[in-house]
Amino acid sequence: MLTSYTYLLVNFFAVVICFIFSFDKRIQFHHHFGAFLKAAIIVGIPFIAWDVWFTHHGIWWFNDTYLTGFRIAGLPVEEWLFFVCIPFACLFTYHCLNKFFDLTWANAFNNIIVFATCIICIVAALLYRDRMYTLVTAVATVVAVLYLHFVARVAWVGQASLVYLLLMPGFFAVNGVLTGTGLEGAVVNYNPAGFLGIRMGTIPVEDAVYGYTQFLLNVYFYKMFTRTVSSAHPPVQQMGA
Protein backbone atom coordinates (compact mmCIF):
# COMPACT_ATOMS: atom_id res chain seq x y z
CA MET A 1 0.00 0.00 0.00
CA LEU A 2 2.95 2.33 0.73
CA THR A 3 4.69 1.48 -2.53
CA SER A 4 3.46 4.62 -4.26
CA TYR A 5 4.99 6.69 -1.44
CA THR A 6 8.45 5.15 -1.80
CA TYR A 7 10.19 8.21 -3.30
CA LEU A 8 8.32 10.55 -0.95
CA LEU A 9 9.47 8.48 2.04
CA VAL A 10 13.06 8.51 0.81
CA ASN A 11 12.95 12.32 0.85
CA PHE A 12 11.26 12.35 4.24
CA PHE A 13 13.73 10.03 5.96
CA ALA A 14 16.67 11.84 4.34
CA VAL A 15 15.68 15.11 5.94
CA VAL A 16 13.63 14.50 9.08
CA ILE A 17 16.45 13.81 11.56
CA CYS A 18 18.49 16.73 10.24
CA PHE A 19 15.48 19.03 10.50
CA ILE A 20 14.76 18.06 14.11
CA PHE A 21 18.37 18.52 15.20
CA SER A 22 18.55 21.87 13.40
CA PHE A 23 16.93 23.34 16.51
CA ASP A 24 19.41 21.79 18.95
CA LYS A 25 21.05 24.63 20.89
CA ARG A 26 24.52 23.26 20.14
CA ILE A 27 23.85 23.25 16.40
CA GLN A 28 21.28 26.00 15.70
CA PHE A 29 21.14 25.36 11.98
CA HIS A 30 17.65 26.88 11.98
CA HIS A 31 19.30 30.31 12.05
CA HIS A 32 20.56 29.54 8.55
CA PHE A 33 17.32 28.28 6.99
CA GLY A 34 17.05 31.46 4.89
CA ALA A 35 20.59 31.09 3.53
CA PHE A 36 19.94 27.42 2.82
CA LEU A 37 16.70 28.14 0.93
CA LYS A 38 18.30 30.79 -1.26
CA ALA A 39 21.22 28.49 -2.07
CA ALA A 40 18.94 25.52 -2.78
CA ILE A 41 16.75 27.57 -5.13
CA ILE A 42 19.66 29.10 -7.08
CA VAL A 43 21.45 25.76 -7.47
CA GLY A 44 18.19 23.89 -8.04
CA ILE A 45 17.17 25.95 -11.08
CA PRO A 46 19.86 24.70 -13.51
CA PHE A 47 19.78 21.18 -12.07
CA ILE A 48 16.00 20.97 -12.42
CA ALA A 49 16.21 22.32 -15.98
CA TRP A 50 18.82 19.62 -16.65
CA ASP A 51 16.48 17.05 -15.06
CA VAL A 52 13.47 18.17 -17.12
CA TRP A 53 15.47 18.02 -20.37
CA PHE A 54 16.93 14.59 -19.60
CA THR A 55 13.54 13.20 -18.63
CA HIS A 56 11.92 14.64 -21.75
CA HIS A 57 14.60 13.03 -23.95
CA GLY A 58 14.52 9.69 -22.16
CA ILE A 59 18.03 9.82 -20.70
CA TRP A 60 16.33 8.74 -17.49
CA TRP A 61 12.73 8.26 -16.44
CA PHE A 62 10.67 7.60 -13.32
CA ASN A 63 8.74 4.49 -12.37
CA ASP A 64 5.13 5.45 -11.59
CA THR A 65 4.85 2.43 -9.27
CA TYR A 66 6.87 4.31 -6.63
CA LEU A 67 5.34 7.76 -7.11
CA THR A 68 2.27 9.56 -5.83
CA GLY A 69 1.41 10.59 -9.38
CA PHE A 70 1.73 14.37 -9.23
CA ARG A 71 4.02 15.87 -11.84
CA ILE A 72 5.25 19.38 -12.63
CA ALA A 73 6.98 20.06 -15.97
CA GLY A 74 7.22 16.31 -16.49
CA LEU A 75 8.98 15.68 -13.18
CA PRO A 76 7.36 13.90 -10.23
CA VAL A 77 6.73 16.21 -7.29
CA GLU A 78 9.05 13.93 -5.31
CA GLU A 79 11.89 14.84 -7.68
CA TRP A 80 11.27 18.54 -7.02
CA LEU A 81 11.41 17.84 -3.29
CA PHE A 82 14.68 15.97 -3.84
CA PHE A 83 16.35 19.30 -4.71
CA VAL A 84 15.33 20.69 -1.32
CA CYS A 85 15.61 17.66 0.97
CA ILE A 86 19.01 16.36 -0.14
CA PRO A 87 20.78 19.76 -0.11
CA PHE A 88 19.25 20.37 3.32
CA ALA A 89 20.66 17.11 4.70
CA CYS A 90 24.04 17.76 3.06
CA LEU A 91 24.39 21.37 4.25
CA PHE A 92 23.20 20.43 7.72
CA THR A 93 25.94 17.79 7.86
CA TYR A 94 28.49 20.28 6.50
CA HIS A 95 27.42 22.79 9.14
CA CYS A 96 27.67 20.26 11.98
CA LEU A 97 31.01 18.75 10.99
CA ASN A 98 32.62 22.16 10.63
CA LYS A 99 31.09 23.34 13.89
CA PHE A 100 32.48 20.51 15.97
CA PHE A 101 35.65 19.59 14.07
CA ASP A 102 38.48 21.49 12.43
CA LEU A 103 38.47 20.20 8.86
CA THR A 104 40.49 23.05 7.39
CA TRP A 105 43.54 20.78 7.08
CA ALA A 106 41.81 19.23 4.05
CA ASN A 107 42.16 22.53 2.18
CA ALA A 108 45.86 21.80 1.75
CA PHE A 109 44.72 19.41 -0.98
CA ASN A 110 42.69 21.96 -2.95
CA ASN A 111 45.01 22.03 -5.96
CA ILE A 112 45.28 18.24 -6.13
CA ILE A 113 41.52 17.77 -5.87
CA VAL A 114 40.75 20.36 -8.54
CA PHE A 115 43.48 19.07 -10.87
CA ALA A 116 42.49 15.41 -10.48
CA THR A 117 38.78 16.17 -10.85
CA CYS A 118 39.35 18.14 -14.04
CA ILE A 119 41.64 15.54 -15.61
CA ILE A 120 39.26 12.65 -14.88
CA CYS A 121 36.18 14.55 -16.08
CA ILE A 122 37.85 15.92 -19.22
CA VAL A 123 39.08 12.45 -20.20
CA ALA A 124 35.60 11.00 -19.56
CA ALA A 125 33.96 13.77 -21.61
CA LEU A 126 36.33 13.25 -24.53
CA LEU A 127 36.13 9.47 -24.53
CA TYR A 128 32.38 9.22 -23.95
CA ARG A 129 30.98 12.35 -25.59
CA ASP A 130 28.21 10.21 -27.11
CA ARG A 131 26.90 9.36 -23.59
CA MET A 132 24.76 12.36 -22.69
CA TYR A 133 24.66 11.84 -18.90
CA THR A 134 28.40 11.22 -18.74
CA LEU A 135 29.22 14.19 -20.99
CA VAL A 136 26.98 16.76 -19.30
CA THR A 137 28.01 15.67 -15.80
CA ALA A 138 31.70 15.82 -16.64
CA VAL A 139 31.47 19.24 -18.30
CA ALA A 140 29.34 20.69 -15.47
CA THR A 141 31.80 19.41 -12.88
CA VAL A 142 34.83 20.85 -14.67
CA VAL A 143 33.15 24.24 -15.07
CA ALA A 144 32.06 24.26 -11.41
CA VAL A 145 35.43 23.35 -9.87
CA LEU A 146 37.36 25.68 -12.18
CA TYR A 147 35.02 28.55 -11.31
CA LEU A 148 35.22 27.88 -7.57
CA HIS A 149 39.01 27.47 -7.53
CA PHE A 150 40.21 30.07 -10.04
CA VAL A 151 37.43 32.67 -10.25
CA ALA A 152 35.69 32.64 -6.87
CA ARG A 153 38.98 31.52 -5.25
CA VAL A 154 37.22 29.69 -2.44
CA ALA A 155 39.52 28.16 0.18
CA TRP A 156 37.27 25.26 1.16
CA VAL A 157 37.28 22.82 -1.78
CA GLY A 158 39.21 20.22 0.21
CA GLN A 159 37.05 20.76 3.27
CA ALA A 160 33.82 20.35 1.27
CA SER A 161 35.21 17.36 -0.63
CA LEU A 162 36.03 15.64 2.67
CA VAL A 163 32.51 16.25 3.96
CA TYR A 164 31.07 14.89 0.70
CA LEU A 165 33.18 11.78 1.22
CA LEU A 166 31.77 11.44 4.74
CA LEU A 167 28.27 11.80 3.27
CA MET A 168 28.74 8.66 1.17
CA PRO A 169 26.80 6.31 3.50
CA GLY A 170 23.78 8.56 3.13
CA PHE A 171 24.38 8.87 -0.61
CA PHE A 172 24.42 5.10 -1.02
CA ALA A 173 21.29 4.72 1.12
CA VAL A 174 19.25 7.33 -0.78
CA ASN A 175 20.52 6.74 -4.32
CA GLY A 176 20.61 3.01 -3.70
CA VAL A 177 16.87 2.88 -3.06
CA LEU A 178 16.15 5.25 -5.96
CA THR A 179 18.11 3.05 -8.34
CA GLY A 180 16.48 -0.16 -7.17
CA THR A 181 18.35 -1.51 -4.14
CA GLY A 182 15.86 -3.47 -2.05
CA LEU A 183 13.01 -2.85 -4.51
CA GLU A 184 11.53 -4.99 -7.28
CA GLY A 185 12.31 -2.20 -9.73
CA ALA A 186 14.12 1.13 -9.79
CA VAL A 187 12.45 4.44 -8.97
CA VAL A 188 14.76 6.13 -11.49
CA ASN A 189 15.70 4.23 -14.63
CA TYR A 190 18.58 5.12 -16.95
CA ASN A 191 18.88 4.74 -20.70
CA PRO A 192 21.90 2.42 -21.22
CA ALA A 193 22.96 4.57 -24.18
CA GLY A 194 23.18 7.69 -22.00
CA PHE A 195 25.77 6.71 -19.40
CA LEU A 196 28.90 4.61 -18.88
CA GLY A 197 27.07 1.64 -17.44
CA ILE A 198 29.44 1.50 -14.48
CA ARG A 199 27.39 1.10 -11.32
CA MET A 200 28.29 1.16 -7.64
CA GLY A 201 25.80 -1.50 -6.59
CA THR A 202 22.77 -0.19 -8.45
CA ILE A 203 23.97 3.44 -8.64
CA PRO A 204 25.49 4.84 -11.86
CA VAL A 205 28.92 6.31 -11.12
CA GLU A 206 27.77 9.57 -12.75
CA ASP A 207 25.34 10.07 -9.85
CA ALA A 208 28.24 10.50 -7.42
CA VAL A 209 29.89 13.12 -9.64
CA TYR A 210 26.55 14.86 -10.23
CA GLY A 211 25.97 14.95 -6.46
CA TYR A 212 29.49 16.30 -5.85
CA THR A 213 28.94 19.21 -8.21
CA GLN A 214 25.54 19.97 -6.74
CA PHE A 215 26.99 19.85 -3.22
CA LEU A 216 29.92 22.18 -4.00
CA LEU A 217 27.60 24.76 -5.54
CA ASN A 218 25.18 24.55 -2.63
CA VAL A 219 28.05 25.12 -0.19
CA TYR A 220 29.25 28.06 -2.27
CA PHE A 221 25.92 29.89 -2.27
CA TYR A 222 25.10 28.86 1.31
CA LYS A 223 28.36 30.42 2.50
CA MET A 224 27.71 33.50 0.40
CA PHE A 225 24.28 34.10 1.89
CA THR A 226 25.39 33.21 5.42
CA ARG A 227 28.21 35.74 5.10
CA THR A 228 25.79 38.36 3.76
CA VAL A 229 23.52 37.96 6.77
CA SER A 230 26.48 38.13 9.18
CA SER A 231 27.72 41.33 7.51
CA ALA A 232 24.28 42.92 7.69
CA HIS A 233 23.87 42.01 11.35
CA PRO A 234 27.34 42.09 12.96
CA PRO A 235 27.61 40.92 16.56
CA VAL A 236 27.05 43.70 19.11
CA GLN A 237 30.32 44.77 20.73
CA GLN A 238 30.10 44.89 24.50
CA MET A 239 31.46 47.93 26.31
CA GLY A 240 34.99 47.33 27.55
CA ALA A 241 35.37 44.19 25.45
Side-chain angles (χ1 to χ4, degrees), residues 59-72:
I59 307 298
W60 57 52
W61 65 93
F62 301 89
N63 188 339
D64 289 333
T65 302
Y66 302 106
L67 306 173
T68 56
F70 299 100
R71 288 180 181 256
I72 302 172

Side-chain angles (χ1 to χ4, degrees), residues 147-148 152 154 156 215-224:
Y147 171 78
L148 293 173
V154 302
W156 44 258
F215 176 65
L216 288 180
L217 293 175
N218 269 298
V219 171
Y220 173 66
F221 285 105
Y222 170 72
K223 282 179 169 288
M224 177 187 296

Side-chain angles (χ1 to χ4, degrees), residues 186-198:
V187 179
V188 186
N189 297 273
Y190 299 82
N191 186 332
F195 73 115
L196 291 176
I198 301 172

Side-chain angles (χ1 to χ4, degrees), residues 127-185:
L127 291 178
Y128 302 101
R129 55 186 179 276
D130 58 328
R131 316 287 174 88
M132 190 56 69
Y133 187 22
T134 307
L135 175 64
V136 174
T137 303
V139 171
T141 302
V142 169
V143 171
V145 296
L146 288 180
Y147 171 78
L148 293 173
H149 192 58
F150 291 107
V151 180
R153 294 184 176 277
V154 302
W156 44 258
V157 170
Q159 208 170 333
S161 300
L162 174 62
V163 173
Y164 187 68
L165 192 63
L166 296 173
L167 282 165
M168 281 297 102
F171 166 82
F172 278 101
V174 170
N175 285 55
V177 172
L178 295 181
T179 52
T181 300
L183 302 176
E184 291 185 2

Side-chain angles (χ1 to χ4, degrees), residues 3-18:
T3 303
S4 61
Y5 294 93
T6 299
Y7 196 176
L8 198 61
L9 288 172
V10 168
N11 284 326
F12 175 76
F13 286 116
V15 78
V16 62
I17 300 299
C18 301

